[in-house]
């Protein structure tokens, strides 16, 4: 089964903008896949269609075989999303943040507690677990977003421009975390507009521009083309 199977995806917004003009792509289980493109290329729209935040005009998306429209709940449960915007509830503690998210995905209380503990440890956040999220540094907020995305053990992690507007030092730190997540078996889809980031992290890269995939391959294959 493919982790993500996108076929002839078209998304036209009510404004008339055609953000995706027939996109097809496959992500294999275990891959670290990069979707590279400039602002306005259609990256967020593709993610929104995958996670049910937007409905495709035509075409299909399957997440581990589950149709993102007709089997929305199963598709969504298979996806962990680390959104670009830091959409954290600033009044919750770190532990509560993870616990809420696990609850949303139907995890039993005991399992939520164990999983939260494990993730706080993995992302070096244990010391802060009872503090409110608003007290965290920028790097810790980003790490919490990763931990939250992984809480319900998704098989596909989607990272939407995880290092946009992040300084060099923090970017290096985040790269180490996301690489480890992939090495431990989670399939990753990363969107970025940094070529360097895609080349460094990804097994395969697709270039998207103007709502179309204009090139696809390993970074070596793409380098040979351009
Ligand atoms: P990216 O994530 O690559 O920057 P987006 O998917 O956000 O690209 O945007 C693709 C195109 O769709 C852009 O032209 C953008 O202005 C437009 N767009 C995105 N969201 C909406 C929306 N909700 N309504 C209308 N147009 C939108
Ligand atoms: P939004 O922040 O756009 O209102 P939702 O209310 O749908 O998003 O989601 C609630 C929380 O769950 C958010 O923190 C969001 O990042 C996260 N989330 C949304 N979709 C998914 C998904 N498919 N997998 C994991 N987390 C998700």
């Amino acid at each position: 089964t493919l982790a993500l199977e996108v076929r002839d995806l078209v998304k036209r917004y009510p404004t008339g903008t055609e953000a995706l003009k027939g996109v097809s792509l496959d992500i294999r289980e275990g891959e670290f896949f990069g979707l590279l493109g400039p602002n306005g290329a259609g990256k967020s729209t593709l993610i929104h269609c995958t996670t049910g935040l937007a409905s495709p005009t035509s075409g299909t998306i399957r997440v581990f075989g589950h149709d993102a429209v007709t089997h929305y709940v199963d598709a969504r449960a298979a996806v962990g999303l680390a959104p670009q915007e830091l959409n954290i509830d600033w009044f919750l503690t770190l532990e509560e943040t993870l616990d809420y998210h696990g609850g949303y995905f139907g995890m039993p209380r005991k399992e939520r507690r164990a999983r939260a503990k494990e993730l706080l440890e993995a992302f070096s956040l244990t010391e802060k677990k009872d503090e409110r999220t608003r007290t965290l540094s920028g790097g810790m907020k980003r790490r919490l977003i990763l931990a939250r995305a992984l809480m319900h053990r998704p098989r596909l992690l989607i990272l939407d421009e995880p290092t946009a507007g992040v300084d060099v030092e923090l970017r290096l730190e985040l790269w180490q975390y996301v690489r480890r997540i992939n090495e431990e078996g989670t399939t990753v889809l990363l969107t970025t507009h940094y070529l360097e980031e895609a080349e460094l992290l990804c097994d395969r890269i697709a270039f998207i521009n103007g709502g179309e995939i204009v090139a696809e391959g390993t970074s070596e294959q793409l380098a040979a083309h351009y």
Side-chain angles (χ1 to χ4, degrees):
T1 325
L2 291 165
L4 188 70
E5 185 184 343
V6 180
R7 287 287 171 274
D8 306 320
L9 194 71
V10 173
K11 175 62 184 180
R12 201 175 303 113
Y13 286 107
T15 53
T17 304
E18 209 165 61
L20 299 173
K21 299 173 182 165
V23 166
S24 295
L25 58 88
D26 288 341
I27 302 181
R28 299 178 206 117
E29 182 159 16
E31 258 187 328
F32 200 130
F33 191 92
L35 187 63
L36 179 72
N39 286 328
K43 303 183 296 297
S44 300
T45 299
L46 183 66
I47 290 179
H48 289 164
C49 288
T50 304
T51 54
L53 294 173
S55 47
T57 304
S58 64
T60 55
I61 307 176
R62 290 175 180 280
V63 187
F64 285 99
H66 306 293
D67 188 292
V69 175
T70 61
H71 291 76
Y72 161 77
V73 175
D74 294 324
R76 191 181 156 123
V79 174
L81 179 64
Q84 191 181 342
E85 63 281 10
L86 301 175
N87 62 344
I88 297 169
D89 187 327
W90 305 117
F91 293 95
L92 297 179
T93 67
L94 277 69
E95 196 171 37
E96 285 165 350
T97 301
L98 299 183
D99 191 68
Y100 255 64
H101 188 88
Y104 179 80
F105 283 95
M107 294 169 74
R109 191 181 157 84
K110 213 172 147 189
E111 193 189 331
R112 296 204 300 270
R113 204 177 289 160
R115 180 67 172 157
K117 188 164 188 274
E118 177 181 61
L119 287 168
L120 288 165
E121 200 61 47
F123 289 92
S124 311
L125 293 167
T126 301
E127 270 175 41
K128 301 274 178 184
K129 71 182 176 63
D130 296 319
E131 293 191 27
R132 290 182 202 257
T133 56
R134 63 157 188 264
T135 66
L136 297 178
S137 68
M140 288 174 173
K141 284 171 189 162
R142 302 259 171 189
R143 267 142 55 197
L144 179 63
I145 292 237
L146 292 178
R148 184 183 66 186
L150 293 171
M151 184 67 190
H152 62 290
R153 303 181 190 279
R155 298 171 72 187
L156 172 65
L157 175 66
I158 300 183
L159 305 167
D160 191 6
E161 307 241 1
T163 66
V166 161
D167 68 39
V168 180
E169 201 178 328
L170 178 50
R171 184 170 301 154
L172 292 173
E173 181 194 300
L174 289 169
W175 285 347
Q176 289 181 1
Y177 280 100
V178 299
R179 189 176 264 152
R180 199 176 74 202
I181 291 166
N182 177 246
E183 283 166 2
E184 288 172 357
T186 306
T187 308
V188 178
L189 166 59
L190 168 104
T191 74
T192 184
H193 56 263
Y194 299 121
L195 175 63
E196 185 205 3
E197 179 165 273
E199 282 183 337
L200 193 84
L201 294 171
C202 301
D203 302 319
R204 277 195 309 136
I205 300 170
F207 278 131
I208 186 169
N209 199 2
E212 293 175 298
I213 304 290
V214 294
E216 198 190 323
T218 62
S219 49
E220 294 78 20
Q221 286 168 341
L222 293 177
H225 264 277
Y226 289 88

